[in-house]
Amino acid sequence: MLPPFRLARPKTLDEALDAIGEDQVPYCGGTELLLAMGAGLHRPDVLVDVKRLPELAGIRLDGNDLVIGATERHDRVAEHPLVREHVPMLAAVERAVGNARVRNQGSIGGNLCFAEPKSDVGTALIAFQAVATLVSPGGRRALSVEEFIAGPYYSAKEPDELLVDVRIPLGGPEVRAEYVKYQIMERPTLGVAIAHEPETGACRVVVGAVGEVPAVWTFAAPDEIDADTIASEVDPTPDLTGSERYKRHVTGVYVRRAVDALMSRGS
Amino acid sequence: MTEFSTVGTSVRRRDLVEKVTGSAEYTVDVTMPGMLHAKVVRSDRAHARILSIDATEALAAPDVVAVVTAADLEPLFPRFGHIIADHFILAPDKVRYFGEPVAIVLAETLGAASDAMRLVRVEYEDLPSVMTAAAALAEGAPLVHEQAYDATGDDSFKSLTGKKHTMEFPEAEGARTNVAHEVDLEWGDVDAARAGAHLVVESTVHYPMLYAYGMEPYNAVASYVDGALSVVSSAQHPYMVRDDLARIFDLPLSRVRVSTPYIGGGYGSKSYTKVEPLASVASWMVGRPVKLVLSVEEAIYTTRVDTADIHVRSSFDAEGHILAREIDIVMDSGAYADNSPLVLAKCVNRSFGPYRVPNLRVRGRSLYTNTAPASSYRGFGAPQGNFAAETNLDQAAEQLGLDGAEIRRRNLVRHGEAILPGKRGIDADLLADLEIAASSLERDRKDTPYYGMGVSCSASDAGAYPISTAQVRIQFDGSVIVFSGSTEMGQGSQSLLSQVAAEELGVDLGVVSVVQSDTSVTPYERTTGASRTSTLVGLALQRACADARTRIRDMAAEIWSCTPDEVIDLPGAVQGPEGAKLAYGEVVRKWFGGTAGEVTGIGLLRREGVTQEMPPFWETGMVGVAVEVDPETGVVTVDQLVTVADIGFAINPQAVEGQDLGAATQGLGGALYEELVYDGPQLANANMVDYRVPRVTDMPRKIDLVLAERRDGIGPYGAKGAGEGQLNPIGGAVAAAVARAVGRWPNRLPLTPERVWRLLNDLEDSDPPA
Amino acid sequence: MAEPRTEFAISVEVNGTTVERTVESRSLLIDFLRSDLALTGTKVSCELQVCGVCTVLVDGRPVSSCTYLTVDADGRSVTTVESLSSGGKLHPLQEAFVDCHALQCGFCTPGFLMMAKGLLDANPGAEREEIVEHLEGNICRCTGYRPIVEAVESVARQQRAEAK
């Protein structure tokens, strides 16, 4: 049984921005928020349902950006032709989030705002150097997803701000990407994303879920990716799926597996 | 199987049809007119004195009717427990575990109860706590219970094997300990045998704290009106619950009615009393019906599985024959005894295995700790003890240069041989079962690195105490209603009993219906557990059918004016002199003289005749497991699962296979994934996100479920029970398979990836703190 | 319209019938179905979206009704296990579950059935691998899963045969 709360269902962005605040929180799919409320961890006065805001919906190309509205559900992202065409790795990641019901209820924006450390989506988006668009009564600002995920269960969004969308830049050199995850319980223990630019050789390796926030490494070429260095530099959170030592070890294993997957696909 | 018309075939189960349509009723679906909703205020610390409870704010909240605390239970007997009545309905002066009920909030709506629950203020003074069995055993350990309690266990409990059962606390101050129960079992001269042994193998293992996760959490609806109590509950054993409730309210048994609709998963964890006293005392307080449904988290804190630390020392001759076994079992049974004394006794009996053990010494201790109460779980102590001793046997095999099957071949008892002195001999052909399991594994062995196989077996003194009753009522149209006190929790008792009745009376299965588990309606049934229903209720039902047929013959003799012995049985009918025939319905109608009447047959079963010797039957387990290990991560994938059920006769083969795969899968859960972990005073994973149970993606690549039907049980048609057997030996089989895959022997379950990785790399169980 | 409120008048199509009710903002779809509409076929267990027991279809897609606000079903269609059989005739999935012994205690079954229906409606003739992947988020404690997969597979096979 949820604690009592009031619900607002604004139809415009202005109404929504009026309604949100410290104790008036945005609500979309509820897959994280309602669970936290049910467990008594969170007791907002008002839930501001953002599902009716057109600005927060839709998946489209805008110039050189692939734009994914914050309220788009995981399964929509996974199935969308633009996502599958331009960033197939993200489509694959979204297809494996939680379970079929979570994918049908939860939104990409909710996932990012909640900043649950054991998540795949943020890790994948950081690999693509995705940017979050935030809006407040004071205006808009753009923040890299890497900066947006500020800490465990803590995003850089201010209480008076709404996450509008995430933008994946497509204008640069072609990117080939891989994502592998190590999951032995309900949530991932480790996710490794690699984005590789074949033209320049540049590789961006993002390791998520293992620590409090995803961490990023860059290398000049795939064969320079140093799994041991990454394993020694991650900051694992020990839990029921593994100790710090074990998680460090499997980080090395999965970085190597991600590189292997990238190379075998490339050939 | 032309010999039978109905039994021995996988008939369509009518209970399953009700369940797929959503029309099947479970306790959670039951409401009573005018009922209130209850929420329980629970302790948020492990061990603390209660200084005060302030319900003022809660009582002032909208729609709140009452807040019940231990002080209100003054006129009642405020405890329950079918072996030791130590379990307080509501914590009186102190709380003994995190999650213990302290108060009950009653309100007109669930929302109001839920909101007001947060407004009850409880003031505590912390006491030092004991969170593990080792801490509870330590010199000068804080006591979980300072006082002695009444022993409520009856003869059935006292007649358990073991030379010593300690249930009373020593009276002298200072002599009290946290030992809730002790069981010893000994024969031969263990020390002499060990002294002359070729090989002595010692090992110590830890069996994890598990949660059965019956998916319907514990719940009940109770109504106390004018000195009579009526409870609908998710209890596996409604009669045992009735007895506890009658004691609490000092009511005659006839004034306490407990009924159980379909149960959403039991696996032993819904044995005995759980939330029924809470709902009942609440209803007694306010004079209105009360519904209480726990959350999964509350259910975990209500009953979990006994953990065990077990030391095994086995002595062998040069050929690998067992000379002696010494086993020391320490169980962490949590804050209240519940059924743990019985689990301990069974763990002792089931620990040394179905082998020729000429010299034996087993010591078992069940300890009170400041953790959630432990009680029955599928297998009753067998999974714990069996894992320890089977792992030890496999280690011996390795040292003797034998494989796992061979050392068992050399030690298994033969059909009819006793493993417990004075008890029924083993009524199974374990050697034959072993060959089936071993050859199935071998046939599909994969030739890859980090691949390992294990076979393991167990024998459980099953069936519980043989007290059972059944009734059949033949209607005036010849149709039949079976009455049984046993519960239907998915195992298929309803369908099985209808098959037995149809077979015995020679009627079509379509005219038989079954009414179950209502203490004021159905005949007495002690429990539904220990895999007893097909054997014991089956026997009682056969007797009830025979009794009904006798009555029908007597009535037909009256109708035909002949002697009863001139009347012979036909399927669904009788035949008299000169070929006269009457169907059952015609007999009833003619005898009563109208389109009316019915004939009741009664079947009674007690400890005599075929059920004199204990146990009524042995439930054996024989499993084979093959695993593949990812050497980089330690992840174990189950490649093969083989089960051989020595069930005598399968009344519904599909149902038996279902029980076997279900039991084995639960076994795999406990062996590979499941473990409740305490972090300070509370569990770190009292939820289904962090307590990981087997999923569809964990299914073994190959599953081979074998039914060994040799008609050698005492039950109907030679049947024996099923349902636990294939869980019990899984832990040992998995441990052996993993050990052979990675080259080192595990000393605990579950074999999580990290533990297996540590085994592979010869690392300690955990790292020292940084 | 944007004013926060605790009560909402909603109109939901439940198993083909339009239902109009006023519900609390905190009302969960599972409680609405079970308590307000007495559709008790759908059960609830983990309350964390991991067990799948409370699965119902909203606009044809599976959701965890224990974590779904009733107000969000406003204007949508909700399908529960009670809708599967009609006129005493079982749905092919129900038949297959009974035939394959794909349930024992049956508490998880309504959830599995609705998950399977969601899959086979959207993707008729789904292959075994897709079925296993789709059912990964549902827990059954009785059967060991194999009979459940076999039951769904048998219906998918029928669908493939009929499509030819």
Side-chain angles (χ1 to χ4, degrees):
Chain A
M1 178 64 68
L2 294 172
F5 59 86
R6 291 182 295 153
L7 179 73
R9 299 202 285 187
K11 289 212 177 85
T12 68
L13 193 55
D14 286 343
E15 282 178 352
L17 289 173
D18 260 0
I20 60 170
E22 196 72 57
D23 216 17
Q24 295 79 28
V25 302
Y27 158 74
C28 185
T31 55
E32 312 260 16
L33 180 61
L34 297 184
L35 295 186
M37 289 170 66
L41 301 172
H42 195 21
R43 214 174 157 166
D45 173 37
V46 179
L47 300 196
V48 181
D49 186 350
V50 295
K51 288 195 285 291
R52 285 167 185 74
L53 307 179
E55 291 88 343
L56 272 61
I59 298 175
R60 62 187 190 277
L61 288 173
D62 178 9
N64 286 328
D65 289 343
L66 173 64
V67 183
I68 303 174
T71 58
E72 289 298 328
R73 299 180 318 236
H74 298 297
D75 62 350
R76 276 261 302 167
V77 180
E79 289 159 18
H80 201 279
L82 286 175
V83 179
R84 294 171 72 153
E85 183 191 339
H86 294 287
V87 278
M89 181 268 263
L90 179 64
V93 166
E94 287 283 21
R95 203 156 43 237
V97 164
N99 57 47
R101 298 177 305 278
V102 169
R103 294 193 287 277
N104 187 37
Q105 291 174 254
S107 66
I108 190 168
N111 183 291
L112 292 175
C113 291
F114 223 81
E116 153 75 50
K118 290 181 182 179
S119 167
D120 303 304
V121 178
T123 306
L125 287 171
I126 292 170
F128 292 117
Q129 306 194 55
V131 173
T133 310
L134 295 161
V135 64
S136 70
R140 282 178 182 252
R141 63 173 177 138
L143 201 61
S144 72
V145 171
E146 191 180 347
E147 291 168 280
F148 183 75
I149 300 173
Y153 310 104
Y154 173 60
S155 77
K157 183 177 73 64
E158 298 296 333
D160 66 345
E161 283 182 312
L162 276 177
L163 175 66
V164 177
D165 58 41
V166 253
R167 291 166 178 259
I168 297 167
L170 303 175
E174 184 211 352
V175 172
R176 282 211 303 245
E178 275 299 333
Y179 188 84
V180 293
K181 69 168 158 177
Y182 178 56
Q183 185 167 344
I184 52 177
M185 302 238 298
E186 192 58 33
R187 300 202 165 113
T189 292
L190 171 76
V192 179
I194 302 184
H196 172 223
E197 294 175 5
E199 282 170 40
T200 65
C203 286
R204 192 172 159 81
V205 179
V206 189
V207 179
V210 72
E212 295 190 334
V213 290
V216 183
W217 288 262
T218 53
F219 298 91
D223 56 12
E224 287 181 24
I225 294 174
D226 182 352
D228 294 333
T229 299
I230 294 173
S232 69
E233 289 177 5
V234 288
D235 187 10
T237 308
D239 60 21
L240 296 172
T241 70
S243 65
E244 186 200 323
R245 179 175 182 174
Y246 177 70
K247 287 190 168 187
R248 214 177 270 297
H249 166 75
V250 287
T251 300
V253 171
Y254 271 79
V255 170
R256 277 187 284 275
R257 287 182 184 183
V259 173
D260 287 349
L262 184 75
M263 302 306 267
S264 67
R265 185 165 301 190
S267 61
Chain B
M1 283 285 185
T2 50
E3 187 184 344
F4 300 115
S5 60
T6 312
V7 297
T9 46
S10 299
V11 301
R12 182 181 171 92
R13 279 172 57 176
R14 255 179 290 166
D15 58 323
L16 301 191
V17 177
E18 277 183 62
K19 288 170 180 178
V20 295
T21 60
S23 64
E25 185 177 72
Y26 298 77
T27 305
V28 281
D29 305 325
V30 175
T31 56
M32 288 187 187
M35 74 182 189
L36 297 170
H37 296 266
K39 289 297 274 183
V40 179
V41 179
R42 291 171 183 274
S43 164
D44 61 0
R45 49 206 73 206
H47 197 194
R49 200 156 301 291
I50 298 172
L51 300 178
S52 66
I53 302 173
D54 180 1
T56 321
E57 211 183 326
L59 284 166
D63 288 336
V64 172
V65 173
V67 175
V68 187
T69 67
D72 298 311
L73 310 186
E74 188 68 31
L76 306 176
F77 182 82
R79 290 177 272 124
F80 61 92
H82 62 287
I83 299 174
I84 305 170
D86 65 356
H87 203 143
F88 289 91
I89 299 167
L90 289 166
D93 47 347
K94 71 169 187 174
V95 291
R96 292 177 171 82
Y97 68 96
F98 183 102
E100 178 161 14
V102 173
I104 312 166
V105 177
L106 298 174
E108 300 287 350
T109 65
L110 190 56
S114 182
D115 296 342
M117 175 185 76
R118 300 179 176 110
L119 304 175
V120 176
R121 314 269 170 238
V122 185
E123 211 188 333
Y124 296 101
E125 176 189 299
D126 278 315
L127 297 168
S129 58
V130 285
M131 300 305 293
T132 62
L137 271 176
E139 189 83 16
L143 290 177
V144 179
H145 292 267
E146 290 88 358
Q147 71 196 93
Y149 301 100
D150 331 85
T152 40
D154 66 2
D155 281 352
S156 66
F157 181 72
K158 289 172 187 135
S159 72
L160 284 167
T161 313
K163 68 172 188 188
K164 181 173 137 199
H165 277 273
T166 308
M167 287 197 297
E168 286 88 26
F169 291 83
E171 279 309 305
E173 194 64 40
R176 285 181 193 148
T177 69
N178 286 313
V179 177
H181 190 63
E182 240 181 300
V183 181
D184 290 343
L185 182 64
E186 185 168 358
W187 60 72
D189 187 341
V190 168
D191 301 306
R194 185 182 347 99
H198 168 76
L199 173 72
V200 177
V201 178
E202 286 194 59
S203 54
T204 303
V205 298
H206 176 76
Y207 189 86
M209 189 181 290
L210 301 179
Y211 167 53
Y213 192 33
M215 297 187 78
E216 178 191 17
Y218 301 118
N219 72 106
V221 200
S223 175
Y224 190 100
V225 180
D226 191 25
L229 176 64
S230 180
V231 180
V232 183
S233 140
S234 56
Q236 269 181 252
H237 310 336
Y239 289 85
M240 300 293 272
V241 173
R242 176 195 63 170
D243 299 354
D244 265 329
L245 293 172
R247 192 184 309 112
I248 290 166
F249 294 99
D250 193 22
L251 287 173
L253 295 177
S254 62
R255 304 278 274 183
V256 181
R257 177 180 186 177
V258 181
S259 61
T260 303
Y262 287 127
I263 300 174
Y267 326 114
S269 73
K270 286 174 181 154
S271 308
Y272 310 103
T273 304
K274 307 292 176 194
V275 295
E276 299 83 1
L278 288 168
S280 300
V281 300
S283 174
W284 167 83
M285 269 288 288
V286 296
R288 286 173 64 180
V290 170
K291 186 174 176 81
L292 172 61
V293 182
L294 300 192
S295 66
V296 165
E297 181 177 6
E298 289 178 292
I300 292 173
Y301 279 111
T302 300
T303 295
R304 45 91 176 173
V305 179
D306 290 89
T307 71
D309 290 295
I310 303 181
H311 178 256
V312 182
R313 180 158 63 177
S314 305
S315 304
F316 298 87
D317 69 13
E319 281 75 48
H321 297 114
I322 297 169
L323 299 176
R325 301 200 95 168
E326 297 157 83
I327 301 171
D328 185 79
I329 300 161
V330 176
M331 282 185 169
D332 171 353
S333 299
Y336 294 108
D338 290 346
N339 204 40
S340 289
L342 187 59
V343 173
L344 177 71
K346 292 295 184 185
C347 185
V348 165
N349 285 354
R350 297 167 179 185
S351 63
F352 46 87
Y355 304 113
R356 292 169 172 159
V357 183
N359 302 285
L360 179 82
R361 184 189 295 145
V362 190
R363 180 189 194 198
R365 281 172 291 173
S366 155
L367 289 163
Y368 284 129
T369 63
N370 293 115
T371 63
S375 195
S376 314
Y377 175 56
R378 204 173 197 169
F380 265 81
Q384 292 93 329
N386 189 268
F387 160 56
E390 288 288 276
T391 301
N392 179 271
L393 189 68
D394 279 309
Q395 292 178 43
E398 187 179 271
Q399 294 182 38
L400 289 159
L402 303 174
D403 71 21
E406 183 54 30
I407 198 163
R408 287 173 175 79
R409 233 171 253 133
R410 294 185 186 188
N411 287 289
L412 278 171
V413 292
R414 284 9 183 203
H415 198 283
E417 252 180 273
I419 62 168
L420 278 171
K423 300 285 169 180
R424 184 184 299 276
I426 292 285
D427 49 2
D429 190 345
L430 290 167
L431 269 179
D433 299 343
L434 173 68
E435 300 310 333
I436 294 168
S439 62
S440 177
L441 275 187
E442 203 55 55
R443 191 167 58 239
D444 297 302
R445 170 201 281 274
K446 271 203 214 167
D447 185 20
T448 70
Y450 302 101
Y451 191 84
M453 307 196 302
V455 287
S456 194
C457 58
S458 64
S460 291
D461 42 341
Y465 203 69
I467 296 174
S468 183
T469 68
Q471 290 174 11
V472 285
R473 284 162 49 187
I474 298 177
Q475 305 299 296
F476 62 76
D477 64 353
S479 64
V480 174
I481 311 174
V482 174
F483 283 72
S484 165
S486 73
T487 47
E488 175 56 65
M489 47 195 165
Q491 83 278 36
S493 62
Q494 185 193 88
S495 180
L496 179 144
L497 295 175
S498 67
Q499 279 180 277
V500 171
E503 186 73 43
E504 294 300 308
L505 296 171
V507 298
D508 189 84
L509 193 62
V511 303
V512 181
S513 66
V514 180
V515 175
Q516 287 179 276
S517 54
D518 182 330
T519 62
S520 292
V521 174
T522 56
Y524 184 85
E525 189 59 40
R526 187 181 171 80
T527 59
T528 304
S531 308
R532 75 202 301 270
T533 302
S534 52
T535 309
L536 300 181
V537 184
L539 283 174
L541 179 56
Q542 276 187 315
R543 292 175 189 183
C545 291
D547 184 45
R549 279 195 314 233
T550 303
R551 287 169 200 271
I552 291 276
R553 283 196 306 272
D554 289 348
M555 293 157 103
E558 266 190 60
I559 293 164
W560 286 321
S561 303
C562 64
T563 60
D565 51 13
E566 289 176 89
V567 182
I568 58 167
D569 287 326
L570 295 177
V574 284
Q575 183 175 311
E578 293 149 33
K581 277 184 201 169
L582 285 174
Y584 287 162
E586 293 173 299
V587 175
V588 177
R589 293 197 300 270
K590 280 185 189 296
W591 192 89
F592 281 97
T595 308
E598 71 173 16
V599 170
T600 302
I602 294 171
L604 305 177
L605 183 83
R606 60 175 172 168
R607 221 187 130 188
E608 67 173 1
V610 291
T611 48
Q612 173 61 41
E613 210 177 4
M614 290 290 279
F617 62 94
W618 287 92
E619 184 173 10
T620 58
M622 182 68 71
V623 302
V625 170
V627 302
E628 266 183 279
V629 174
D630 178 338
E632 289 188 305
T633 60
V635 169
V636 176
T637 306
V638 181
D639 183 56
Q640 299 189 54
L641 170 69
V642 184
T643 66
V644 185
D646 198 312
I647 34 91
F649 177 76
I651 293 171
N652 182 330
Q654 207 179 22
V656 179
E657 285 172 1
Q659 285 282 299
D660 287 346
L661 181 56
T665 302
Q666 278 190 349
L668 289 173
L672 292 170
Y673 319 116
E674 299 178 30
E675 183 171 25
L676 289 173
V677 178
Y678 264 93
D679 179 14
Q682 61 176 307
L683 287 164
N685 57 344
N687 63 70
M688 297 316 294
V689 170
D690 299 312
Y691 184 82
R692 185 219 196 276
V693 297
R695 298 303 186 94
V696 65
T697 39
D698 300 317
M699 258 193 306
R701 179 185 60 90
K702 165 193 146 178
I703 297 169
D704 187 10
L705 310 172
V706 182
L707 304 184
E709 296 179 88
R710 304 190 187 94
R711 308 283 295 269
D712 48 4
I714 60 149
Y717 328 109
K720 291 174 278 186
E724 299 177 2
Q726 311 313 325
L727 184 157
N728 299 337
I730 288 278
V734 169
V738 169
R740 289 172 187 136
V742 306
R744 275 187 199 84
W745 288 90
N747 61 4
R748 65 187 300 154
L749 299 177
L751 289 165
T752 58
E754 174 161 5
R755 285 189 183 138
V756 174
W757 172 76
R758 284 176 180 272
L759 278 179
L760 266 162
N761 293 285
D762 199 15
L763 302 170
E764 293 294 311
D765 284 353
S766 60
D767 302 314
Chain C
M1 196 60 197
E3 275 311 297
R5 282 181 289 142
T6 55
E7 285 198 343
F8 290 82
I10 59 163
S11 171
V12 193
E13 189 191 300
V14 180
N15 297 336
T17 303
T18 302
V19 176
E20 289 178 358
R21 287 281 195 289
T22 298
V23 298
E24 270 192 278
S25 50
R26 66 164 157 173
S27 162
L28 294 167
L29 184 56
I30 183 67
D31 298 322
F32 178 69
L33 293 170
R34 286 180 55 84
S35 301
D36 297 15
L37 305 185
L39 290 170
T40 55
T42 309
K43 309 302 184 203
V44 63
S45 184
C46 80
E47 300 179 89
L48 295 171
Q49 292 192 313
V50 303
C51 75
V53 161
C54 67
T55 304
V56 300
L57 302 182
V58 174
D59 289 346
R61 305 180 77 106
V63 303
S64 296
S65 60
C66 75
T67 317
Y68 191 99
L69 295 187
T70 308
V71 292
D72 281 342
D74 190 12
R76 298 182 187 276
S77 101
V78 175
T79 315
T80 71
V81 67
E82 284 92 346
S83 74
L84 287 182
S85 57
S86 67
K89 192 172 163 8
L90 296 185
H91 184 278
L93 276 167
Q94 292 173 313
E95 282 290 352
F97 268 59
V98 174
D99 286 347
C100 296
H101 225 94
L103 63 150
Q104 289 176 34
C105 86
F107 206 72
C108 70
T109 307
F112 269 101
L113 284 168
M114 298 318 286
M115 283 300 284
K117 180 174 160 59
L119 175 69
L120 296 186
D121 284 354
N123 181 7
E127 298 289 340
R128 185 184 175 93
E129 215 170 294
E130 298 169 88
I131 294 167
V132 169
E133 193 181 303
H134 184 76
L135 298 179
E136 203 266 335
N138 285 58
I139 294 173
C140 170
R141 210 48 175 151
C142 292
T143 63
Y145 299 104
R146 186 173 72 169
I148 297 175
V149 175
E150 285 171 353
V152 181
E153 239 188 323
S154 75
V155 177
R157 260 197 310 276
Q158 286 168 31
Q159 289 179 321
R160 286 202 292 273
E162 282 158 19
K164 274 177 193 162

